[in-house]
Amino acid sequence: MDLNLKDRVAVVTGAGSGIGEGIARALAAEGCKLSILDRDASAAQKTASSLTGTMAQSTAVDVGDSAAVERVFAETIATFGRLDILVNAAGVLSTGLVADLPVTEWQRIAQVNLAGVIYCVKAAIPVMKRQRHGRIINIASVSAMRGGGSVGNTLYGTTKAGVVALTMGLARELGPFGITANAIAPAVVDTAMTHAALTEDAKRRILERIPLGRLARLSDIADLAAFLASDRAGFVTGATIPVDGGILTT
Ligand SMILES: NC(=O)c1ccc[n+]([C@@H]2O[C@H](COP(=O)([O-])OP(=O)(O)OC[C@H]3O[C@@H](n4cnc5c(N)ncnc54)[C@H](O)[C@@H]3O)[C@@H](O)[C@H]2O)c1
């Protein structure tokens, strides 16, 4: 299926590694121009320089810093001339019980996983409205539907539940401007984020609960993101789509 994404301009946060990187690669393969954002400057640079055959630049930014986000988006829009696709993939995991964790841990993860998404969306809305076209894709998690997940926890799931609610509200607010907002809810993908938590025992227990019998591949998430970024998905908005091998059914 030709997704007709050639020369569309995409910002992908957290694209220095894992799911964000996978999505950046999929969009580049479809011909998008890429702005790679990550708080890890060298990881962002590594992703951008490996995306051959299209325009790609990297910028180091902490998505939880609203002033820095505004500045970086203004620079990106000035460089590329437009902004068609925003993928919010930057995120941090936290494990532990609510009773045991200090409130600073909630503040740390909420600042990235929820406030960071809001800051990036706010920075993208004006240009998308002017274009009367835009695609916002947020990476949530099945933990949003379960109050925590196999390797996540209650606080992490709570930040992701906020992303689900934000996505629905954005769809309502921005639909009249030709902008869609959707979220993808992965279960467990073997990335740097989950690596430490994925002991052989944890992996076995998770696999027992996944009807399709395997963890997610980056391409499982990236292919859906590319579709949601395209005009083929023009009538899909406000949705949170699980890519979880069926784990939510068990
Ligand atoms: N891996 C999974 O199983 C899984 C499951 C569900 C949801 N998710 C979500 O997918 C997204 C990507 O996760 P991943 O598994 O690829 O993790 P990852 O750790 O491999 O990649 C996350 C990237 O985000 C960057 N980042 C972290 N904090 C940032 C900040 N404040 N500003 C800018 N960049 C920042 C990191 O440097 C890293 O490059 C996250 O939102 C995560 O919550 C992951």
Side-chain angles (χ1 to χ4, degrees):
M1 190 193 300
D2 184 358
L3 296 178
N4 282 319
L5 285 170
K6 186 146 176 47
D7 292 333
R8 295 275 166 91
V9 175
V11 170
V12 183
T13 75
S17 77
I19 292 172
E21 181 185 353
I23 292 173
R25 290 192 186 290
L27 293 176
E30 294 294 331
C32 290
K33 298 175 180 172
L34 265 300
S35 168
I36 302 294
L37 306 186
D38 203 289
R39 74 175 165 195
D40 182 335
S42 67
Q45 165 63 31
K46 206 167 149 210
T47 301
S49 58
S50 71
L51 299 178
T52 49
T54 190
M55 182 178 172
Q57 73 167 28
S58 68
T59 313
V61 66
D62 175 353
V63 296
D65 178 341
S66 61
V69 165
E70 267 180 49
R71 196 173 58 245
V72 164
F73 273 70
E75 286 165 9
T76 299
I77 292 159
T79 302
F80 289 91
R82 55 186 294 118
L83 172 53
D84 302 290
I85 301 156
L86 167 63
V87 180
N88 286 301
V92 284
L93 181 64
S94 173
T95 55
L97 302 178
V98 175
D100 297 342
L101 292 168
V103 291
T104 49
E105 179 62 356
W106 161 254
Q107 289 157 350
R108 181 185 77 85
I109 64 168
Q111 196 60 28
V112 180
N113 295 358
L114 185 51
V117 176
I118 294 170
Y119 298 156
C120 291
V121 163
K122 280 181 70 64
I125 285 174
V127 65
M128 287 183 173
K129 273 188 173 176
R130 277 199 301 280
Q131 293 166 184
R132 297 196 76 79
H133 178 272
R135 296 278 182 268
I136 296 169
I137 301 163
N138 298 323
I139 307 303
S141 163
V142 291
S143 64
M145 291 84 159
R146 298 159 49 90
S150 307
V151 296
N153 72 351
T154 306
L155 294 183
Y156 173 81
T158 302
T159 65
K160 295 298 187 178
V163 171
V164 171
L166 176 71
T167 302
M168 293 180 77
L170 288 172
R172 188 175 56 249
E173 292 183 16
L174 301 177
F177 301 94
I179 302 166
T180 65
N182 292 289
I184 298 174
V188 183
V189 194
D190 193 357
T191 65
M193 175 178 279
T194 48
H195 207 66
L198 274 182
T199 60
E200 280 311 307
D201 188 45
K203 203 171 179 174
R204 186 185 46 74
R205 278 186 285 107
I206 293 164
L207 286 174
E208 275 170 11
R209 293 191 35 238
I210 299 180
L212 288 178
R214 64 168 174 83
L215 300 184
R217 301 180 185 119
L218 288 180
S219 59
D220 294 323
I221 317 296
D223 289 347
L224 176 58
F227 171 69
L228 290 173
S230 77
D231 291 343
R232 302 276 184 162
F235 206 57
V236 182
T237 196
T240 294
I241 304 174
V243 180
D244 68 342
I247 201 169
L248 282 176
T249 66
T250 64

